[in-house]
Amino acid sequence: MELSSYFPIWDQLTPAQQAQLARSARLRTAPRGTLLHNGSEDCVGLLAVCSGALRAFIRSPEGREVTIYRLFERDICLFSASCMLKSAQFDVSAEVERDAQFWIIPADIYQSVAASSAALANYTSELMASRFSDVMWLVEQILWRSQDRRLASFLLDESALQESRTLAITHDRIAAHMGTAREVVTRLLRYFQGEGMVRLARGTIELIDEDRLRAWAEE
């Protein structure tokens, strides 16, 4: 996928600015589980996903994780270039959730072009506002929605992403996405199983009654 396709304002950049971004960009691949960005400890650069999936998450001092958003084909991750956001620092990490290919634009290059291009600067602000909206939505879910309804929603969303009613995912992984304890996830899944909505096996969860799960999530 061409780098230009990620930027709807590409034609508003000068030929020199386009060339600067294109020359600096590097196409990379990484397997599932690769940590691409470790919070405030590094500044990888801007990531643009070609294929696969990435996960952006935060980690508590105790080691508990919560996914704040996921990135798929054509998505851009700005938090991995947080060093160029001088007014705010974010301790957000990013890892490969599904074997991925992506472009990396060094933060200093991207920042230099954005400083000379109002179009790119505005586009960057729009991206950041969109990500903040994702984070605020997550905060609302955690504050106001019960864990069982969040879990029902997660299972349905994951089924759509995996394009299967049988999910290859562990209780630990679900807990990391939701920002809760594994024991909580296991207890709720067993309850869902008792109600006939899912069937549990080692490393998999089969959705038996999606209609009831959806009603549970929306109640």
Side-chain angles (χ1 to χ4, degrees):
M1 186 178 296
E2 294 295 326
L3 183 66
S4 59
S5 66
Y6 291 88
F7 299 94
I9 48 78
W10 187 262
D11 290 340
Q12 299 177 46
L13 301 176
T14 67
Q17 291 167 340
Q18 293 175 354
Q20 189 175 6
L21 290 175
R23 279 197 308 268
S24 68
R26 296 291 180 267
L27 192 61
R28 296 284 186 263
T29 59
R32 177 181 177 180
T34 302
L35 187 64
L36 299 177
H37 173 66
N38 192 20
S40 58
E41 294 182 12
D42 56 26
C43 189
V44 175
L46 182 137
L47 299 176
V49 183
C50 300
S51 63
L54 309 183
R55 179 176 79 105
F57 63 96
I58 54 177
R59 183 184 289 116
S60 73
E62 296 76 27
R64 180 174 296 176
E65 298 177 0
V66 59
T67 299
I68 57 174
Y69 57 82
R70 297 158 101 177
L71 299 155
F72 303 99
E73 182 180 335
R74 302 187 68 83
D75 283 338
I76 289 178
C77 182
L78 275 174
F79 287 126
S80 55
S82 59
C83 55
M84 73 180 187
L85 305 172
K86 300 303 183 183
S87 60
Q89 293 295 310
F90 305 96
D91 206 18
V92 176
S93 299
E95 71 172 0
V96 178
E97 189 173 40
R98 194 164 63 236
D99 293 357
Q101 183 178 59
F102 47 88
W103 290 101
I104 298 180
I105 302 177
D108 57 339
I109 300 297
Y110 189 86
Q111 185 177 21
S112 173
V113 176
S116 62
S117 169
L120 186 59
N122 290 337
Y123 178 61
T124 303
S125 296
E126 291 173 5
L127 284 175
M128 186 59 66
S130 175
R131 290 306 174 203
F132 272 125
S133 294
D134 292 341
V135 173
M136 290 307 300
W137 178 86
L138 174 64
V139 170
E140 290 177 355
Q141 296 298 301
I142 292 174
L143 288 177
W144 310 121
R145 206 165 177 219
S146 62
Q147 295 277 24
D148 56 341
R149 283 160 178 75
R150 288 183 62 213
L151 177 58
S153 291
F154 176 85
L155 294 175
L156 292 167
D157 290 344
E158 191 67 19
S159 176
L161 289 174
Q162 295 192 23
E163 298 181 344
S164 173
R165 296 179 64 177
T166 302
L167 311 182
I169 192 168
T170 65
H171 299 191
D172 282 326
R173 196 64 175 172
I174 295 174
H177 279 299
M178 293 180 56
T180 189
R182 180 192 184 281
E183 293 76 15
V184 172
V185 171
T186 297
R187 183 172 66 249
L188 290 174
L189 285 173
R190 286 174 178 167
Y191 177 77
F192 285 176
Q193 179 171 248
E195 292 293 309
M197 292 185 281
V198 304
R199 181 181 295 118
L200 305 179
R202 188 174 184 84
T204 64
I205 302 166
E206 183 181 358
L207 307 193
I208 302 299
D209 193 335
E210 292 179 281
D211 289 338
R212 283 192 65 198
L213 275 174
R214 191 168 291 106
W216 196 280
E218 295 173 355
E219 185 175 320

